[in-house]
């Protein structure tokens, strides 16, 4: 079966207007039954197929990926393979199937059981649910949604290509189930897992699939706890078994998100699979790989991770280089699924037309792939105009005013670099005693619930129904309410609640020069959540103070310290679509300088604590070990450029949003923040023991409850968590806070949870002083 000349590895699933989000949330809230939800989902899938065919992908040659998900592709695999953790076992149907309700419970948890852990997918801001695999995990084909979707496509006249997370990646991303023996490695279960894939492939073939895509991004990563050789050996085994099956569709093994290791290249070339997709935007073409003469290579030359219109000349050159490897066929593709980019630039009427002409979202990228496919089929001359237009856009970008701003560049060039705060931590500790904080200070991460009322006010202001003055008044009332609430709860360090922010990055993007924001550019972050990344297209500078008036007002209402709240340079980059015409380091430093000025203004306004959030620090860490030191160097450098100018008596906090503290512990220490709050609740005690083991000596607040779930922890539960922390770390070092901001939560559960947090802290403080 020949592979089509062009394809994309996946497409956004949430719908052009986030239809899926709305349907799913309505379903969760009880306003839409499952049949209604299924109908909405089918509508999205159907429109996606039609749109992709319209954009030039073949309707009947497997060029269109079937990559829908109700929540997450890894959770889909968990359900398909029957690998649901034991605590959800009773939710299975009598026939052993995993119904949609169980699928959602595994994702979200309920009052009795914790959800699956959630973590970031490779170096993206997409979050997947982590499989928990233990000796008891049994694998069996437990969900046939992929087969049903293929049938659904065929009934509409399409022959699509089902997409699944591959077996090696599935296990490499898994963690050992609680209770598994220490040192237990999920990947060791591969031989038992592969037969389920084999069974699924047979059923897919029965249902008419000609090609199936198995995603194996684990093969580009050195950050999953397995080395290149182990992963390649696993791939050798898995694809030997799957490839040798007699009844199966042709197999495309995809290795998106980076450089396929040499050993994995050789392994896949030697494996009995028909096609291999590689990322040629981040990875390079190796010098020679034996054994490709009967295979198709899909060159991922259109970047699935950014929004810039690809340079087709460059893409074409890369395809030519790929051809030199001697494969039977070369096809054009995207480097990754397009799930990381918004749907359509044509949906952005407010964007500057010149900027828009430089951009490509999922639909435009699909069009670029289709153009390259035509070039591969009919010669490059046949698409001369597309090539020329893309190159013109590139040239135009280089010469547009604002892309380079002389003043910004001069200031950066003349700065002296800083490697730490000017005054050492121990001296800062005494300088900060004037904050007069109790033992185990309690605080939150910054945002309070973004209520419907807040969203309504924001919308009303955008539409002009609310004047700027009225909107300001609304926000001030909101701040006053949140401050009063925190005083009533008895929290020690307060926040203003971030009601003025639609999003922690977009808010800064809207107030800095060099950024553009979109209207409909939503990208799935996790489950039903989507963010709207800003587009960082030019040199960044700060026309005026951004957060000062809100923080100042909040502080005027209370004698307790209120934290100023900023988003750090790395996170601003990670959660925006960033210009690709200069190193990230330079862009990060431009943002850092703007933040440095903001901190100085906050200090001037009487703010004594400033938190600079860097939840994305870990996320941008390169997957390849060799590239990590350089990244850590510039990311830490830009954080210090932002914060090191602060006065010693100003307490700098940072907040990190992931649980693999161990990997970047040295970098975190190098940030030299006085206090670091970090997500910890979903990962049990691991974080605390990692911190203790690393000898991290600054203030630290390992989150005591998970804010991703509506579940309210009891005071006892929080006290237990807290005591685990106090057992491992000196009391003086510890802060008490939730895992992350509260913006996605409702007020009822938030108030209850924070009451329990304060009560638990009081209990633990009392016990600690008794013991002392
Ligand atoms: N200050 C932000 C908030 O509380 C931090 C969010 C985050 O870590 N993602 O919402
Ligand atoms: Zn967070």
């Amino acid at each position: 079966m020949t592979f089509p000349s062009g394809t994309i590895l996946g497409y956004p699933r949430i719908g052009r207007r986030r239809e899926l989000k709305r349907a799913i949330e309505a379903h969760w809230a009880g306003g839409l039954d499952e049949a209604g939800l299924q109908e909405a989902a089918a509508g999205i899938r159907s429109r996606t197929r039609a749109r992709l065919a319209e954009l030039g992908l073949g309707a009947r040659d497997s060029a269109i990926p079937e990559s829908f998900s109700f929540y997450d592709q890894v959770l889909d695999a968990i359900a398909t393979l029957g690998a649901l953790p034991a605590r959800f076992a009773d939710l299975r149907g009598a026939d052993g199937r995993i119904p949609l309700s169980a699928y959602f419970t595994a994702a979200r948890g309920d009052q009795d059981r914790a959800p699956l852990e959630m973590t970031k997918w490779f170096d993206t801001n997409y979050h997947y649910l982590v499989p928990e695999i233990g000796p008891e995990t049994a694998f069996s084909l437990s969900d046939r949604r992929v087969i049903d979707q293929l049938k659904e496509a065929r009934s509409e006249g399409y022959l699509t290509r089902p997409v699944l997370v591959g077996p090696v990646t599935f296990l490499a991303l898994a963690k050992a189930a609680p209770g598994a023996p220490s040192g237990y490695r999920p990947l060791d279960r591969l031989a038992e897992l592969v037969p389920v894939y084999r069974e699924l492939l047979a059923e897919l073939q029965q249902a008419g699939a000609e090609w199936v895509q198995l995603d194996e991004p684990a093969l580009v990563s050195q950050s999953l706890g397995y080395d290149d050789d182990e992963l390649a050996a696993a791939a050798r085994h898995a694809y030997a078994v799957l490839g040798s099956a007699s009844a199966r569709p042709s197999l495309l093994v995809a290795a998106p998100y980076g450089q396929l290791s040499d050993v994995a290249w050789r392994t896949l070339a030697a494996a009995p699979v028909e096609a291999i997709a590689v990322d040629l935007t981040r990875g390079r073409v190796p010098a020679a790989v034996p054994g490709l003469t009967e295979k198709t290579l899909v060159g991922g030359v259109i970047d699935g991770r950014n929004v810039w219109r690809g340079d087709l000349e460059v893409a074409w050159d890369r395809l030519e280089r790929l051809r030199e490897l001697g494969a039977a066929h070369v096809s054009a593709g995207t480097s990754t699924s397009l799930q990381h980019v918004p749907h359509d630039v044509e949906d952005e009427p407010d964007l500057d037309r010149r900027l828009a002409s430089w951009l490509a979202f999922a639909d435009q990228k699909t069009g670029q792939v289709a153009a390259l496919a035509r070039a591969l089929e009919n010669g490059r001359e046949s698409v001369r105009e597309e090539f020329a237009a893309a190159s013109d856009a590139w040239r135009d970008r280089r010469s547009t005013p604002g892309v380079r701003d002389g003043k910004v560049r001069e200031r950066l060039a003349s700065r002296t670099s800083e490697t730490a705060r000017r005054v050492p931590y121990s001296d800062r500790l005494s300088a900060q005693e004037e904050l007069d904080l109790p033992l185990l200070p309690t605080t939150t991460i910054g945002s309070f619930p973004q209520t419907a009322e807040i969203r309504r006010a924001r919308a009303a202001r955008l539409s002009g129904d609310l004047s700027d003055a009225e909107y300001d008044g609304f926000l001030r009332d909101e701040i006053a309410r949140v401050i009063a609430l925190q005083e009533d709860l008895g929290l020690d360090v307060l926040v203003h609640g971030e009601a003025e922010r639609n999003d922690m990055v977009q808010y800064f993007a809207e107030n800095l020069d060099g950024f553009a924001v979109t209207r409909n550019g939503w990208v799935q972050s996790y489950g039903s959540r989507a963010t709207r990344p800003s587009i960082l297209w030019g040199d960044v500078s700060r026309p005026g103070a951004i957060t000062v008036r809100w923080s100042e007002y909040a502080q005027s209402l209370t004698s307790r310290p209120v934290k100023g709240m900023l988003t750090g340079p790395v996170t601003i980059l990670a959660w925006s679509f960033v210009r690709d015409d200069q190193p990230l380091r330079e862009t990060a430093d431009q943002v850092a300088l703007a933040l440095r000025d903001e901190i100085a203004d906050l200090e001037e306004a009487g703010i004594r604590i400033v938190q600079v959030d860097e939840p994305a620090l870990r996320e941008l860490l390169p997957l390849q070990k060799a590239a990590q030191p350089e990244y850590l160097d510039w990311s830490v450098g830009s954080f210090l450029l932002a914060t090191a100018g602060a006065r010693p008596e100003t307490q700098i906090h940072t907040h990190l949003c992931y649980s693999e503290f161990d990997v970047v512990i040295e970098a975190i220490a190098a940030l030299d923040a006085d206090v670091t709050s970090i997500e910890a609740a979903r990962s049990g005690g691991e974080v605390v023991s990692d911190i203790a083991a690393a000898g991290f000596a600054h203030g630290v607040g390992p989150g005591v409850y998970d804010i991703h779930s509506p579940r309210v922890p009891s005071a006892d539960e929080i006290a237990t968590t807290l005591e685990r922390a106090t057992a491992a770390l000196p009391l003086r070092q510890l802060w008490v806070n939730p895992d992350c901001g509260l913006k996605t939560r409702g007020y009822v559960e938030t108030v209850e949870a924070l009451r329990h947090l304060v009560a638990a802290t009081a209990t633990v403080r009392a016990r600690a002083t008794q013991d002392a």
Side-chain angles (χ1 to χ4, degrees), residues 21 112 200 226 291 306 370 438 443 459 463 465 559 568 647 732 736:
K21 172 197 179 67
D112 305 319
L200 177 64
Y226 300 97
N306 71 24
T443 191
S463 66
D465 290 346
S559 57
R647 300 171 188 158
R732 307 234 140 262
V736 186

Side-chain angles (χ1 to χ4, degrees), residues 444-448 498 501 504 565-566 575 611 613 615 655-657 739-743:
T444 62
I445 304 302
S447 57
F448 266 72
E498 301 180 28
R501 304 185 190 177
M504 66 185 287
M565 197 58 64
L566 306 176
W575 295 350
Q611 179 171 312
D613 291 326
H655 166 68
L656 309 168
C657 225
D739 252 357
C740 194
L742 302 165
K743 60 190 161 215

Side-chain angles (χ1 to χ4, degrees), residues 434-438 483-484 486-488 491-495 551-563 606-609:
E434 61 189 44
L435 287 168
D436 202 19
L437 298 170
I483 293 287
Q486 293 171 90
E487 288 200 319
D488 175 59
L491 290 160
D492 301 311
V493 170
L494 313 192
V495 297
S551 292
E552 193 173 20
Y553 176 63
Q555 186 64 82
S556 75
L557 301 171
T558 176
S559 57
R560 304 181 193 199
V562 175
K563 287 193 272 193
I607 301 300
R608 294 173 293 163
I609 304 183

